Amino acid sequence: MRAVYLNPIVVNSFLLLLLSRCVWPLALLFSLGMMPAAFAAAPAPAHRFEIGANEFLLDGKPFQIRCGELHAPRVAQEYWQHRLRMVKAMGLNIVCAYLFWNMHEPRPGEFNWSGQADAAAFCRAAQAEGLWVILRPGPYACAEWEMGGLPWWLLKHDDVKLRTRDPRYLEATKRYLKEVGRELGPLQVTRGGPILMVQVENEYGFYGKDSDYMGELRGALLDAGFDVPLFACNPKQHLKDGYRADLFPVVNFGTDPEGAFKALREILPTGPLMCGEFYPGWFDTWGAPHHTGNPTRYLTDLGYMLKAGASFSIYMAHGGTTFGFFTGADRPFKPDTSSYDYDAPISEAGWVTPQFEQTRALFAQHLLPGETIPQPPPRNPVISIAPVAATSLARVFCNLPAPLTEERPRTMEAYDQDYGCILYRTQLPPGPAATLEAAAIHDVGQVFLDGQRIGFTDRRSRNFRVQLPERTHPVTLDILVEAMGRVNFGVEVHDRKGIHAPITLAVADQAPAELRDWEIFRLPFDSAMLDALRFEAVQPAGAAVGVPAFWRATVKIEQPGDCFLDMRPWGKGFVWVNGHNLGRYWNIGPQQTMYVPGPWLKAGDNEIVVLDLLGPEQPVIAALAKPILDQLRPQLDFARAKRREVKLRTDFGPPAHADSFAAGSNLQEVRFGAPARGRYFCLEALTAHDGGPLASIAEIALLDANGQPLSTEGWTIGYVDSEEREREDGTAENAIDGQTANFWRTQWGEAQPGFPHRLILDLGQSRVVGGFRYVPRQGAADVPGRIKEYRIFVADDLIDP
Ligand code: GLA
């Protein structure tokens, strides 16, 4: 066993041995109970978990970790036991659980460990089902969760640097981890609980290289009383970034276990191999095709790991639902759906899927001596609900709280607001038609003049401009901004919501004038606000359709059961069922139904409140017995039905760089002979390693003149000649979302346009680019579309304005 991963139980026994043979005064100190709290509080552990020379060891015996991820807040608490039984019946022996800091500390120093946030109860429930627990407490989690689990209130410091040693961040982190230790420390295996290992941070290598930062967090967990092995996970390209010898490394991947473990062996020459996250499917974002996994690939890779004696955690074994305001967003800005079905082996509603059966059958061939796999529990009852019309409504504009006043508007965090919407209001004098523009609006803005919707702003396309008509009299200008979940990945987690000033009004050729003197209305849609809503009866003949409003319906149910609310007649917003916030819906899909856990319904009358920010086609509630998670309706998207048509310059001039990428799936860093400057970065792919017509890129990150990564803030895809948008999510944004598991690919159906292929990034402004990092599409040696010869162009005018 390597000293660096010594389990404290072993250290403890060693100390006692030492003490029994030597100095009395020391032994006396221990016998008087003056030893460190972590040891003192521990009753004799029921089990012993260690990282051995070649394998994990449980009570001294080799132990292959067959783990699956499940997040307690993504499953109704009433169903935790059911889902844990499903996990067990799939053949897993461990459940892996993130903690989301923002759920546990909604306001600085105010901790929440109850209800859906009762992590200790979840761990005990796992233990009761005979499952061990791997705990991933953060502080950062990612997980398509609002801000990756970081609390929004950290952003109240204007210049805070998250996930660094910035004392404002680090102090808050340490306070939180201490609290985690208080709450969950007693549930470690060393004290008779189920927690075997604890993760430090999450894929930090994707973000930075500061191993001292990782050291600070490691220290904080030790101080908090964690004495089980601590580990760090990273994708194979970033295993060395932030690496420390005192944290056990594991590697995350969706395919090619052989390649990933080879990379892991470079920093872990001996010791058990483990995949920290192995993806059977993937998450969905609004407006993009529903993801489904590749079961053949999944089973082959899982089989490979089982045979090789490697350990793994299936991310997700059961994805569940991101209830409430907790969905995150991918970068540059792709907000996540509420359904976190993930095409996981256990479906969103907890059902057995073909992947579940196949995984179970595969595990049955690889059990440890004496192990058996139980039968899955029965499916929970499912109901449907016939259409019921909403009977009352409360218009958002008629239910505004008292405003704050400001000369220049600021973001939501500056007004101490966490989630929901924020309304900015000012008065405009009469005047000619003009262009309204903000530096940025996060995320969707609806612009109203005297209560009439004039247009939308949309962060997905970085459109922060709306044309205002001529005004013959003074009017009230309202900008209703909806926060859609803070970005959960990359440096973009510094995602402040609302309006980023200045807001200007420009008439024809005149210089824009800044609009000042605003009223700010905070609309957090929390229970206090919901309870205070003044509802009125719905008038027949479609009155109020088309304005932001809450709609209320009473739905009679004989026998409660799981169901899927059919949101197709609605626009965009949130739903509360008997006070439970089910999450966000949006008619553009792919998710068209919302999962309602049966225990949140009751026999008799149920109150359903729908907040629709666009206005429904018909305010009717109905529920289906099956989910619809794969229906896109781009024609309903107010801002993004198609990529903007652009004209390319006919001659791109001499390239900034031209070369060939190496074969294989490893990250490749390219530095130009001389840095180039421009707003547009074009990668022109000329050939592929496989000789075929397809091109693909898992990830591309640009470097500045010093070789440091440029922030992707403000980037969009300027142009792409081909992308797969129908058969799967192969859009060009995948090349700049920071994730290496998904990728941009050219169309592969009937249309298979050939080389050259061009991907042009619009950096929003002219930047100096000294090189770039390229991650090829991941997978086996023969995956098609890995680019070979290429040329790079950087200029301000590759695209005609
Ligand atoms: C990364 C993160 C996870 C999750 C997955 C994608 O690997 O570590 O939290 O975000 O990506 O689902």
Side-chain angles (χ1 to χ4, degrees):
M1 197 164 74
R2 287 157 53 115
V4 284
Y5 307 124
L6 268 184
N7 184 308
I9 303 165
V10 180
V11 178
N12 203 1
S13 334
F14 177 71
L15 272 178
L16 289 174
L17 189 81
L18 207 75
L19 289 172
S20 65
R21 297 188 180 190
C22 62
V23 266
W24 250 106
L26 247 185
L28 188 69
L29 203 71
F30 272 72
S31 68
L32 290 175
M34 292 167 76
M35 50 191 177
F39 296 123
H47 295 278
R48 197 155 47 93
F49 177 73
E50 295 153 285
I51 298 173
N54 297 309
E55 48 236 319
F56 294 108
L57 299 170
L58 186 61
D59 296 329
K61 297 204 192 83
F63 181 63
Q64 187 171 24
I65 295 177
R66 299 190 309 267
C67 179
E69 187 104 6
L70 193 172
H71 304 145
R74 284 182 156 135
V75 174
Q77 197 184 8
E78 297 86 339
Y79 278 161
W80 285 353
Q81 187 189 58
H82 177 264
R83 302 302 193 264
L84 290 164
R85 286 188 177 166
M86 289 290 290
V87 162
K88 182 86 182 164
M90 197 169 123
L92 298 170
N93 51 17
I94 306 197
V95 63
C96 182
Y98 273 129
L99 299 183
F100 302 119
W101 179 6
N102 51 13
M103 189 167 198
H104 296 297
E105 195 178 354
R107 303 245 154 208
E110 271 175 34
F111 289 98
N112 172 21
W113 297 103
S114 65
Q116 290 291 126
D118 193 345
F122 179 78
C123 290
R124 284 194 296 268
Q127 190 173 23
E129 298 308 324
L131 288 162
W132 300 100
V133 173
I134 291 179
L135 188 69
R136 308 205 289 165
Y140 167 76
C142 196
E144 293 66 69
W145 191 267
E146 148 84 30
M147 214 171 142
L150 297 171
W152 63 275
W153 43 261
L154 291 168
L155 296 174
K156 286 167 64 153
H157 304 287
D158 276 347
D159 53 351
V160 70
K161 301 255 181 314
L162 303 170
R163 303 180 72 193
T164 70
R165 281 181 284 145
D166 181 330
R168 292 163 298 182
Y169 166 75
L170 217 46
E171 271 159 34
T173 296
K174 288 180 179 171
R175 179 181 63 200
Y176 159 68
L177 290 177
K178 188 124 219 159
E179 175 69 12
V180 172
R182 194 194 57 70
E183 187 69 20
L184 296 176
L187 289 171
Q188 296 175 89
V189 63
T190 46
R191 306 190 209 167
I195 299 173
L196 296 186
M197 297 210 284
V198 174
Q199 182 179 298
V200 181
E201 244 273 359
N202 187 70
E203 294 191 335
Y204 171 70
F206 256 139
Y207 191 84
K209 294 182 190 296
D210 182 8
S211 48
D212 288 343
Y213 163 70
M214 290 297 282
E216 289 277 358
L217 296 188
R218 173 180 175 271
L221 283 166
L222 296 177
D223 287 349
F226 284 99
D227 53 15
V228 291
L230 300 180
F231 73 103
C233 75
N234 274 302
K236 75 170 184 189
Q237 299 82 6
H238 293 289
L239 284 164
K240 293 177 185 161
D241 296 328
Y243 170 79
R244 300 179 60 89
D246 53 15
L247 291 176
F248 179 73
V250 307
V251 63
N252 295 355
F253 54 83
T255 181
D256 187 22
E258 208 178 337
F261 287 140
K262 201 167 140 222
L264 183 58
R265 274 286 174 244
E266 287 179 27
I267 54 165
L268 185 72
T270 60
L273 292 172
M274 175 160 176
C275 171
E277 291 181 11
F278 173 59
Y279 312 111
W282 200 242
F283 58 88
D284 285 343
T285 58
W286 293 112
H290 173 56
H291 285 96
T292 49
N294 174 340
T296 315
R297 191 266 307 147
Y298 160 77
L299 289 167
T300 309
D301 290 351
L302 203 55
Y304 173 92
M305 288 192 276
L306 283 164
K307 276 208 201 96
S311 288
F312 51 83
S313 179
I314 298 172
Y315 187 104
M316 302 293 295
H318 172 50
T321 311
T322 314
F323 297 113
F325 295 109
F326 284 118
T327 45
D330 218 351
R331 67 183 197 181
F333 191 67
K334 299 195 287 184
D336 300 315
T337 58
S338 307
S339 167
Y340 202 57
D341 178 84
Y342 217 91
D343 201 28
I346 304 167
S347 83
E348 179 176 10
W351 299 349
V352 164
T353 67
Q355 279 204 69
F356 178 97
E357 302 282 19
Q358 290 155 345
T359 313
R360 190 167 188 270
L362 183 63
F363 286 161
Q365 301 162 22
H366 294 270
L367 297 182
L368 300 173
E371 252 190 322
T372 52
I373 304 182
Q375 285 300 320
R379 189 184 274 199
N380 291 307
V382 177
I383 59 168
S384 57
I385 300 174
V388 178
T391 47
S392 52
L393 95 161
R395 290 175 175 81
V396 170
F397 284 105
C398 300
N399 282 275
L400 298 178
L404 308 166
T405 53
E406 275 279 36
E407 195 192 341
R408 257 190 153 198
R410 291 183 290 156
T411 59
M412 216 180 217
E413 296 76 14
Y415 301 121
D416 212 26
Q417 188 184 332
D418 46 9
Y419 314 115
C421 285
I422 181 163
L423 176 70
Y424 298 84
R425 172 174 288 176
T426 193
Q427 307 301 321
L428 294 182
T435 306
L436 178 79
E437 182 162 14
I441 296 183
H442 292 178
D443 301 303
V444 173
Q446 298 190 45
V447 177
F448 299 84
L449 288 185
D450 280 344
Q452 288 289 317
R453 190 188 290 123
I454 300 295
F456 292 94
T457 65
D458 181 24
R459 182 175 176 191
R460 293 167 302 158
S461 49
R462 290 199 62 77
N463 172 31
F464 304 128
R465 237 184 231 184
V466 168
Q467 298 305 322
L468 301 189
E470 182 189 356
R471 304 171 312 273
T472 53
H473 56 275
V475 293
T476 300
L477 167 70
D478 280 316
I479 307 177
L480 178 64
V481 184
E482 181 196 355
M484 285 204 66
R486 294 181 180 84
V487 176
N488 59 270
F489 193 84
V491 60
E492 292 79 359
V493 292
H494 299 82
D495 182 6
R496 295 181 176 83
K497 297 304 193 185
I499 288 183
H500 293 237
I503 308 181
T504 57
L505 199 61
V507 176
D509 300 335
Q510 294 169 23
E514 183 169 352
L515 295 177
R516 293 176 187 269
D517 298 327
W518 293 82
E519 284 182 308
I520 319 288
F521 300 86
R522 293 175 295 186
L523 307 169
F525 305 139
D526 53 10
S527 51
M529 185 177 169
L530 259 64
D531 290 347
L533 291 175
R534 291 177 303 276
F535 280 92
E536 54 189 271
V538 172
Q539 301 300 323
V545 169
V547 298
F550 294 85
W551 300 78
R552 192 166 64 187
T554 304
V555 175
K556 251 196 190 1
I557 288 171
E558 272 176 30
Q559 193 67 47
D562 288 1
C563 59
F564 303 87
L565 289 187
D566 184 357
M567 300 312 292
R568 285 173 297 180
W570 296 84
K572 180 178 200 298
F574 287 90
V575 183
W576 288 262
V577 169
N578 294 326
H580 294 275
N581 184 338
L582 296 186
R584 190 186 306 274
Y585 66 91
W586 192 354
N587 55 11
I588 64 172
Q591 176 183 355
Q592 299 290 351
T593 54
M594 299 187 80
Y595 172 58
V596 187
W600 291 0
L601 294 170
K602 53 189 186 218
D605 285 350
N606 292 268
E607 187 201 64
I608 302 196
V609 174
V610 181
L611 166 61
D612 202 308
L613 295 164
L614 303 178
E617 274 168 36
Q618 279 189 323
V620 171
I621 304 285
L624 312 176
K626 267 192 192 160
I628 305 175
L629 298 178
D630 58 356
Q631 207 181 95
L632 285 173
R633 298 197 291 175
Q635 69 282 10
L636 298 179
D637 197 343
F638 45 80
R640 208 208 189 198
K642 268 214 244 125
R643 231 179 244 302
R644 198 163 58 96
E645 299 261 323
V646 293
K647 259 181 81 191
L648 300 186
R649 209 174 77 188
T650 40
D651 176 11
F652 277 14
H657 188 82
D659 204 347
S660 287
F661 290 125
S665 63
N666 287 341
L667 181 149
Q668 303 176 36
E669 184 164 316
V670 173
R671 301 293 284 273
F672 303 156
R677 172 180 269 285
R679 170 172 170 173
Y680 298 102
F681 173 96
C682 171
L683 188 147
E684 185 184 58
L686 302 171
T687 55
H689 279 288
D690 66 315
L694 309 176
S696 63
I697 295 179
E699 210 47 44
I700 190 150
L702 304 194
L703 304 174
D704 66 15
N706 302 318
Q708 293 305 308
L710 287 176
S711 160
T712 61
E713 177 67 41
W715 290 17
T716 46
I717 299 300
Y719 168 82
V720 64
D721 69 294
S722 171
E723 61 192 328
E724 186 54 61
R725 293 181 85 105
E726 279 161 24
R727 282 171 181 75
E728 61 176 60
D729 178 11
T731 57
E733 277 81 3
N734 289 343
I736 54 169
D737 67 355
Q739 305 267 12
T740 44
N742 63 5
F743 50 95
W744 160 60
R745 63 185 307 173
T746 52
Q747 289 157 278
W748 56 267
E750 274 147 42
Q752 293 206 359
F755 285 96
H757 289 296
R758 277 173 172 175
L759 173 67
I760 302 185
L761 309 181
D762 178 352
L763 312 181
Q765 53 178 298
S766 210
R767 307 292 294 264
V768 174
V769 185
F772 66 97
R773 289 190 192 132
Y774 158 73
V775 180
R777 175 181 172 184
Q778 299 298 285
D782 59 351
V783 297
R786 284 195 187 132
I787 299 167
K788 190 172 178 191
E789 294 160 285
Y790 68 91
R791 301 197 294 169
I792 302 291
F793 300 88
V794 181
D796 278 328
D797 55 358
L798 297 180
I799 293 178
D800 278 351

